[in-house]
Structure formats: structure tokens, C-alpha cells
Amino acid sequence: MSDATAGEPEGAAVPAGAATGYDPRPPVWRPGRGVEALSGAYRQLFEVVAARSGPVSARFSPIGEFTVPGDPDSTACALTAAHHAGIPIPLHPGIEKLYNPGTGCYRTFMLERDGSLSTNIHMVELLNLTGEHERRDTVLQWLHEKIVTNGNCHCKWHISLMYALGEAARVLASISTTTALDIRAKAVERLLELQHQDGGWGVLDSTVEETAYAALGICAAADTHNELSTLNSAHKFLRSADMDLAPRWIGETLYCLEPLVPSLHQTALTRIRQVLREPKSTTP
């Protein structure tokens, strides 16, 4: 039973008009899985987010004892958000249970055969914030082998390679090691190759979701890649594009929430405008 249907009568219907794969109903806490199940930085982050007004509210569904909602990918994103909210984020030793020393990457779940790009990209971001640089660099080497050496730019949790490429470019913009710079350069190079003539990105036609991931990555790399024409085209596409809510996640149905694409849309538009307005420094 999913979180969206827990506690509801069996066979509860999805509201008419809901996009396939997206459920507008709010999650329902399972018994014993309410806010009292959270502790430490997770509890603090929940309380900060819940106290803020706005049309979108965040809810955690803790499945694992040390992770939200039970995997290091979501946990890394949550704790990174906690950091930006001013909450201390010590790396809980429990998350190390999902580190695979044999491959140098994090598993998304126990006994996972192959590590995923997005999980390890987001763990690199968290490890960088917590000062775990030795482990960060080990995971970066794993990512470098996958993305740069082998040319594997797909994350197995999303049908579009724009997700992994955009996140790699965005996250690694804050890390200045040679390995991180190589991965970021490869990610931006591939994104530039994949932009459509209408200014958007997409595995097939351009979509708001895929364009937002790509544009946010290129914006983050603006210090080394002066792609103003690329961003102008992306901005034009995002301003006029229809809001497509087709589900693109694989095995991650909790991510298929109606606010996701509109939030990406507004964030990408805002970030592009910021970059286009920023004065470019000139070097002799």
C-alpha cells in the first residue's frame, strides 16, 4: 500500500482529471510513521518546512531508521536542504551501511546490484557539505568512471539522461577538484549537444521537466561556460511551454507529485534570469 492510499478504503479512486502517474492527494502517514518517527536534523528540517506558509508543503515518510524516506538519495537531498535552512547536518553513521567499499559508491537500497548516478551525485553534495572529503573524492572517482570514461549518463531512476547530467553539472559546480571539474565539463558538453532547436530538452520532444534540469545545470556552470544564447533559448521555451506532467521516474512513484514540475519550472526560470543579469567578469 502506498503512502498516498494508506488508511483509505481499499480501491479509493484517484480524482478525475489527475495526470497519469501523478497523484494530487496528500500523503497519509502510516501508523507510527508520523513526525514522532523523525529525530535530529530530520525532525528540525520537517519543523522548519512545516512552519513556512506556501502552496506546497513537504512531508517525509520515514521508512529506514537512518534515512528519509529510506534511501541515501532522498536523505542527501533532505540534509542538503537542512544545511541551506541553517540546520546542522552531521552525517549519521547509519548511512554508511549503504556504502559499498568494493565499488566506492553508495547503494540506494540494501543489496542493490549497481549504484545509481543520482544517489551518488547527491551523496557527493552532502559529503562535501559535511567535510567528508576523502569519501567524497572516492565517490567522485566512481562517477568519473561512469560518466567520463564510460560515457554512461543515464540514471536508472529516471528515463531522461537530462536528469543525471543536469544534477551533475549543478552539484559539482561547488566542488573544485580536478575530478569534479572533468565530470561537470562532460555533463555540460552533453547537455549542449542535446538541446533542441526550440530551446528545450527532452528524450523525445522538449518538456518543462527535462529542460529545467538541463538549464539549472548549465546555470550552475556559468562561471566556466558562458552559454547565454543557450539559456536565452531555454528561457523562451520555458515561458511558453505547456506544463507536461507525464511520469518519468522509474520505481520512484513518491516523486510523482503534482508540485514537482511546476516547482522545477519556476526555479529554472528564476535562475536563468539571475544568470542573464549577472555581470560577467573579464580576465586579461
Side-chain angles (χ1 to χ4, degrees):
M1 184 181 295
S2 69
D3 284 355
T5 58
E8 294 183 8
E10 187 173 350
V14 175
T20 303
Y22 279 74
D23 192 341
R25 294 170 295 173
V28 177
W29 289 109
R30 296 178 180 179
R33 295 295 188 179
V35 66
E36 69 279 355
L38 300 175
S39 62
Y42 310 121
R43 178 67 172 265
Q44 289 180 275
L45 177 60
F46 179 92
E47 291 172 349
V48 168
V49 174
R52 294 184 177 179
S53 60
V56 180
S57 61
R59 291 176 169 83
F60 295 137
S61 176
I63 296 172
E65 181 180 358
F66 305 116
T67 57
V68 180
D71 66 75
D73 193 357
S74 300
T75 299
C77 292
L79 294 185
T80 298
H83 169 79
H84 292 298
I87 300 170
I89 52 167
L91 190 62
H92 198 291
I95 205 170
E96 291 305 291
K97 293 182 178 180
L98 291 166
Y99 177 68
N100 184 352
T103 59
C105 73
Y106 282 85
R107 302 179 180 95
T108 308
F109 53 87
M110 293 299 293
L111 305 181
E112 181 184 33
R113 292 182 60 185
D114 304 304
S116 80
L117 294 184
S118 65
T119 293
N120 286 281
I121 289 168
H122 295 142
M123 278 304 303
V124 161
E125 185 173 28
L126 178 61
L127 292 166
N128 190 57
L129 291 174
T130 57
E132 302 284 338
H133 292 168
E134 183 176 353
R135 175 61 55 79
R136 176 203 68 186
D137 292 344
T138 300
V139 179
L140 278 171
Q141 287 293 342
W142 181 87
L143 288 168
H144 190 278
E145 180 181 356
K146 295 292 183 182
I147 296 173
V148 179
T149 305
N150 298 334
N152 175 16
C153 301
H154 276 94
C155 177
K156 63 184 178 182
W157 303 122
H158 202 281
I159 67 171
S160 175
L161 72 167
M162 263 57 78
Y163 173 57
L165 289 171
E167 286 299 88
R170 180 188 65 80
V171 166
L172 300 183
S174 61
I175 303 174
S176 59
T177 68
T178 301
T179 305
L181 291 173
D182 283 350
I183 300 170
R184 181 175 69 159
K186 180 66 173 180
V188 174
E189 175 189 329
R190 290 289 287 127
L191 288 172
L192 295 176
E193 292 172 353
L194 292 166
Q195 188 177 30
H196 293 168
Q197 289 199 353
D198 62 5
W201 281 265
V203 172
L204 298 174
D205 295 332
S206 297
T207 69
V208 167
E209 180 183 352
E210 293 166 276
T211 299
Y213 286 129
L216 288 170
I218 293 172
C219 283
D223 61 328
T224 57
H225 296 76
N226 188 6
E227 299 295 338
L228 298 186
S229 62
T230 298
L231 293 175
N232 269 311
S233 298
H235 188 268
K236 182 178 180 180
F237 171 80
L238 288 170
R239 286 183 59 192
S240 59
D242 293 330
M243 199 68 64
D244 172 16
L245 295 180
R248 296 180 176 86
W249 295 96
I250 301 170
E252 296 283 2
T253 55
L254 286 177
Y255 293 177
C256 291
L257 301 175
E258 284 194 334
L260 174 63
V261 176
S263 296
L264 283 169
H265 179 237
Q266 290 302 314
T267 302
L269 279 173
T270 300
R271 186 70 186 110
I272 292 171
R273 292 180 190 127
Q274 289 173 344
V275 171
L276 292 179
R277 287 197 298 261
E278 288 172 357
K280 300 300 172 185
S281 59
T282 57
T283 55

